[in-house]
Amino acid sequence: RTEPQRLRSNAELIAWRRKVAEQGRRVAFVPTMGNLHEGHLELIDAAKQRADEAIVSIFVNPSQFASHEDLDTYPRTLEEDMQKLRERGATALFTPFANELYPTGIPGGTMVVPHFVEGKSEAADRPHFFSGVATVCLKFFNLLQPDVAIFGQKDAMQCVVIARMLEDLMLDHRIALHVVPTSREFDGVARSSRNSYLSPSMRQKAPAIYKALCAATSAAGASPGSVRSSVRRELESQELEVSYISVADTRFMNEKADEADLSNSVVSICCVMKEEGHRTCRLLDNVLVPAR
């Protein structure tokens, strides 16, 4: 297998991009924070199907972490990550320097603020988060100018934030967004780098989340109200703490009224797992209810 080309500085990235453009090659971009798992590798597969070059970034982005969050302890596994990228056939890896991405400090004087998600589900739980994600992604998009950007559906609100940013900031004509279905373990648990924080007994409870989402959304006559109440009831009966259960439209993440039509919705959830002697873990998941 060929070694992915390692690009460290902005100048190296820009030079690489110029070279592949001269060769008329399409570029697909997969932004990650590293600690790669099978879900990330499926994003690389999707990138390779849609372009000639599949470039991955690994950067634990400080501007999307709040002071009480796990920036310092977020798992960093670059050697293992590079081995996985090699095996999966990524063509380039960008590992930027924080002081180049944030030349005037973190978060810097100019930020992208996706106002439309403020106070909703995941953005209510992590108010700083989506501004950090949107800002770093716009920096990446400007540096790299990819033809396609690849994201995973597991982070539903993140996908919507990126889609709206591309549209609102006039980038959607140049960068196509492709969202890959959530990658799951054998028992339905959504893959996530933070799953490594789960103790064995937490991990044992985790499959209930996806099961509850599937059961509630496929029940006869299901509505947004019935989905919210039945998912919460089911999971709380299994002693899982539900931070939020949201049934929203797929374009703006606006909560749907209890009696509204369930079709064309994203049903997203956060469960908080706590156990003595283990770090607290937030498990996110979602299912899409298709348009009728």
Side-chain angles (χ1 to χ4, degrees):
R1 283 222 174 269
T2 55
E3 190 73 24
Q5 190 171 343
R6 175 90 182 270
L7 308 164
R8 289 180 171 88
S9 67
N10 291 359
E12 285 174 355
L13 180 73
I14 292 163
W16 177 87
R17 182 64 180 99
R18 191 172 293 132
K19 188 184 80 192
V20 297
E22 283 164 2
Q23 296 165 350
R25 295 172 70 75
R26 272 173 65 80
V27 171
F29 172 48
V30 182
T32 81
M33 297 208 303
N35 196 231
L36 303 180
H37 52 67
E38 180 61 26
H40 293 113
L41 304 179
E42 289 169 14
L43 301 183
I44 296 167
D45 296 341
K48 290 170 66 182
Q49 287 163 12
R50 282 166 184 76
D52 310 296
E53 302 283 345
I55 180 168
V56 177
S57 64
I58 292 181
F59 180 64
V60 181
N61 174 36
S63 74
Q64 69 194 57
F65 287 80
S67 56
H68 65 277
E69 291 181 341
D70 56 348
L71 173 64
D72 296 333
T73 53
Y74 193 85
R76 290 162 172 83
T77 53
L78 188 59
E79 289 309 308
E80 295 94 318
D81 291 347
M82 287 177 72
Q83 180 61 32
K84 290 172 183 171
L85 294 178
R86 200 175 294 126
E87 287 166 4
R88 213 61 169 233
T91 50
L93 167 64
F94 181 42
T95 53
F97 300 114
N99 62 353
E100 275 206 317
L101 276 189
Y102 293 97
T104 59
I106 294 159
T110 306
M111 291 196 81
V112 180
V113 182
H115 281 299
F116 78 96
V117 294
E118 283 172 4
K120 300 174 188 175
S121 59
E122 186 64 9
D125 269 14
R126 301 184 74 190
H128 52 280
F129 176 74
F130 291 102
S131 190
V133 168
T135 300
V136 83
C137 284
L138 184 60
K139 289 171 188 270
F140 283 142
F141 295 162
N142 285 333
L143 281 169
L144 179 58
Q145 302 187 6
D147 299 289
V148 194
I150 312 273
F151 287 79
Q153 176 58 40
K154 189 202 145 244
D155 296 296
M157 185 170 275
Q158 173 170 280
C159 292
V160 173
V161 163
I162 298 300
R164 290 290 70 70
M165 177 176 81
L166 290 173
E167 195 177 304
D168 290 345
L169 301 186
M170 314 296 143
L171 288 167
D172 53 331
H173 65 97
R174 202 177 74 210
I175 301 173
L177 173 64
H178 179 72
V179 177
V180 176
T182 301
S183 180
R184 297 186 182 279
E185 305 280 357
F186 69 94
D187 55 2
V189 171
R191 288 196 167 98
S192 164
S193 296
R194 289 187 174 100
N195 286 357
S196 61
Y197 297 172
L198 295 172
S199 71
S201 64
M202 288 159 136
R203 179 64 185 78
Q204 210 174 345
K205 285 181 167 181
I209 299 170
Y210 182 53
K211 272 200 195 86
L213 292 177
C214 293
T217 51
S218 59
S223 66
S226 75
V227 167
R228 282 188 281 257
S229 59
S230 70
V231 169
R232 188 174 285 277
R233 192 171 55 241
E234 173 60 29
L235 294 177
E236 288 178 350
S237 77
Q238 300 189 43
E239 297 182 344
L240 283 166
E241 183 187 327
V242 178
S243 177
Y244 61 78
I245 168 77
S246 158
V247 182
D249 82 290
T250 55
R251 194 167 143 76
F252 296 106
M253 298 300 275
N254 291 327
E255 267 325 285
K256 291 195 167 184
D258 282 350
E259 299 312 317
D261 183 8
L262 185 61
S263 66
N264 202 20
S265 300
V266 56
V267 181
S268 47
I269 189 167
C270 172
C271 283
V272 181
M273 298 264 198
K274 293 175 182 160
E275 196 178 295
E276 199 63 46
H278 283 270
R279 65 167 85 190
T280 298
C281 192
R282 300 173 74 252
L283 291 191
L284 306 190
D285 206 344
N286 67 85
V287 295
L288 291 170
V289 181
R292 269 209 275 274

